[in-house]
Amino acid sequence: MRCSFDGLAALVRRHLGQDPLSGQGFVFINRRRTLLKLLYFDGDGYCVWSKRLERGQFGGALTAGDAVEALSRTQFTALLEGLDLVIRKRQKRWRQSPPGHGIG
């Protein structure tokens, strides 16, 4: 977790097989799960954001061997707040039907 801009970008390219210039955020968590770093490219430069916990750990369900996975904004917020990221059952939500489907 000593990596900064260039080191994290290299990890994204080499180990994740992703493009760090894509605008996506990439989250890295240390082995003890007490330090989190976020790398993203905002159009004209890299940004690195970090958070170190004084007590507790990030992501109770995360392990070192977890696969690369896209997080929703809600899941990312839950990760920062120390909530479990495993969704056992997603509640149904109202969704607008595409045009041409439904009552017309």
Side-chain angles (χ1 to χ4, degrees):
M1 288 304 280
R2 292 178 220 168
C3 295
S4 189
F5 302 95
D6 296 328
L8 292 174
L11 284 173
V12 169
R13 277 189 208 96
R14 274 190 247 130
H15 296 288
L16 302 179
Q18 301 282 328
D19 180 12
L21 301 174
S22 67
Q24 294 176 316
F26 298 93
V27 177
F28 300 89
I29 300 174
N30 68 346
R31 286 185 192 152
R32 294 186 337 210
R33 298 184 311 187
T34 57
L35 178 65
L36 176 145
K37 286 188 178 181
L38 169 68
L39 172 74
Y40 62 96
F41 188 79
D42 73 350
D44 61 356
Y46 285 115
C47 300
V48 174
W49 182 87
S50 65
K51 181 174 182 176
R52 185 187 73 200
L53 297 177
E54 295 300 319
R55 291 177 47 195
Q57 294 179 321
F58 287 109
L62 297 174
T63 63
D66 278 349
V68 175
E69 180 179 319
L71 298 178
S72 70
R73 182 178 301 199
T74 303
Q75 289 172 313
F76 179 67
T77 302
L79 176 66
L80 291 179
E81 293 297 324
L83 300 175
D84 192 352
L85 292 181
V86 175
I87 299 173
R88 286 167 183 73
K89 180 181 176 187
R90 183 173 293 275
Q91 299 298 319
K92 291 183 180 180
R93 300 282 187 220
W94 179 82
R95 295 184 194 268
Q96 185 174 5
S97 297
H101 294 90
I103 300 174

